[in-house]
Amino acid sequence: MPEYVPIAIPDHPRLAQNIIHFARALRRAGLPVGPGRVIDAIRAVAAAGFTDRMDFYWTLHACFVSRPEHRIVFAQIFRLYWRDPRYLEHMMSMMLPAVRGVQEEKLARSAEKRAAQALLGDQMPELPKPEGDDEEATKIEVDSSFTISSQEKLKTLDFEQMSTEEVAEAKRMIARLKLPVKPIPSRRGLAAHAGRRIDWRRTLRASMRQGGEMRSLSHLKPRPRWPNLVVLCDISGSMSQYSRMVLHFLHAVANEKGAGWAKVHAFTFGTRLTNITRHLRQRDVDAALKAAGAEAQDWEGGTRIGQCLHDFNRDWSRRVMGQGAVVLLITDGLDRDDAGALEKEMERLHLSARRLIWLNPLLRWDGFAPKAAGIRAMLPHVDSFRAGHSIQSLEELAAAISRPDDAGEKQRLLAAI
């Protein structure tokens, strides 16, 4: 165990106490923050000073953040605790129940509810009491006999709006999901007692054992052939929370025996393409995603969809796209590169795949329209265009992946272009 030199703390160490409280909030939100990091943070702030806001932010960031997926949680807790003078009111508004008889005016931003819950702890806000005398107040009784359960509600909740407990429960539910696929008929045969095809080779071998007399016919049935699953997952800043949940789902599919897939190949892309297939073979999901995050250095960075698809088509397509592979493309389609080059690479990917299914979390909005140039370039070259923002959308994907006629929202949005 390392030994730390005693710190010279002033008589009223308000800043040190605030850093300690801030570290406790980070720990409740899931960041691995221990006493050693807290001491390092206090020392770092004492060395860097407390004069510039950005210097203070990045000083604490360097001490407390060690994984790419923790950046957004740290940023929200820092904003609520250090930068917002009315942070307590914001936290209370995040923790209030969503159903009040009227729709919420504004939804929480990414990781904001999780940050508020970490700062408040178990101190849940109380609902305001009705005005007037309690004895004369009207009592409202709600019959919840036919209402949905908490798990059913969680299935339709957006991944980006989940709290810490909801994310943990969602991961447990995703680990139980399956992605079955139907086999592909092949021309190769398999011995069977009855079938449409006659196995002449086996029939003649049997007749030679009986002096050349052909007493019975041997039959063949089609040998089932299982396709490969290839997943291309966007891990840019706008897709980080969704891609993290999708990777949990992909880990469950890759480690599910007897699901039907021959092989599961996984790639992440942001500013560059990364193959994380071997990392997802680890049985422990946390160890697998930690190794994948260490391999993909462009987590929560920019997006270059066209260039990454070009790298995949050039380097990996012939290796993993055989045997009638099904391709899942998870991205929001927001790309700043040349739309012509992106359309060319999408067309090549579509021609190489047996089916190309695009999951886009932006479809959660009712008023979604293909206005971005990247979306307009990609949409004509997919077989199915579906939402990918909740557990329910992943369940619908499992039901639709074996239906060759399923196009999702493709035709409706193509008509809007």
Side-chain angles (χ1 to χ4, degrees), residues 234-249:
D234 189 348
I235 57 172
S236 60
S238 59
M239 287 287 299
S240 59
Q241 183 66 16
Y242 300 104
S243 57
R244 190 176 298 111
M245 303 302 288
V246 169
L247 289 178
H248 271 82
F249 174 62

Side-chain angles (χ1 to χ4, degrees), residues 60-233:
L60 295 181
H61 187 280
C63 296
F64 291 136
V65 177
S66 57
R67 297 181 183 177
E69 59 268 23
H70 294 155
R71 296 174 184 171
I72 189 170
V73 179
F74 176 86
Q76 290 292 356
I77 296 180
F78 184 91
R79 183 184 68 84
L80 292 175
Y81 186 79
W82 296 101
R83 300 176 62 183
D84 194 344
R86 301 178 61 188
Y87 78 94
L88 184 58
E89 298 179 11
H90 285 283
M91 287 189 295
M92 296 290 282
S93 64
M94 291 300 105
M95 297 293 292
L96 286 175
V99 180
R100 289 295 191 88
V102 295
Q103 189 178 5
E104 287 183 298
E105 296 181 359
K106 181 182 178 182
L107 292 175
R109 287 187 291 177
S110 176
E112 195 170 26
K113 184 176 180 181
R114 182 178 175 184
Q117 193 173 38
L119 285 169
L120 282 177
D122 298 330
Q123 300 177 0
M124 296 295 294
E126 297 180 357
L127 293 174
K129 295 182 179 180
E131 298 180 359
D133 192 3
D134 294 340
E135 296 179 356
E136 298 179 358
T138 304
K139 295 183 179 180
I140 300 177
E141 296 182 358
V142 179
D143 185 9
S144 60
S145 302
F146 297 96
T147 56
I148 59 177
S149 64
S150 59
Q151 287 192 353
E152 291 295 329
K153 180 182 178 181
L154 190 61
K155 287 183 179 180
T156 59
L157 190 62
D158 195 318
F159 290 141
E160 211 169 42
Q161 306 300 331
M162 290 182 177
S163 63
T164 308
E165 288 77 9
E166 290 169 343
V167 168
E169 180 62 25
K171 290 178 181 178
R172 288 190 289 268
M173 295 174 64
I174 288 175
R176 296 191 295 267
L177 293 181
K178 297 182 180 181
L179 194 63
V181 64
K182 295 180 180 179
I184 303 174
S186 65
R187 283 182 278 181
R188 292 182 177 273
L190 188 65
H193 294 289
R196 296 182 179 180
R197 296 167 55 188
I198 298 176
D199 188 356
W200 292 109
R201 182 176 297 179
R202 193 155 57 97
T203 301
L204 291 176
R205 281 201 304 264
S207 66
M208 295 298 294
R209 300 189 191 100
Q210 300 168 1
E213 183 179 356
M214 191 179 298
R215 298 181 181 179
S216 60
L217 297 176
S218 301
H219 295 83
L220 290 174
K221 65 179 181 180
R223 182 188 297 272
R225 180 168 58 88
W226 305 101
N228 291 339
L229 178 64
V230 180
V231 182
L232 301 172
C233 187

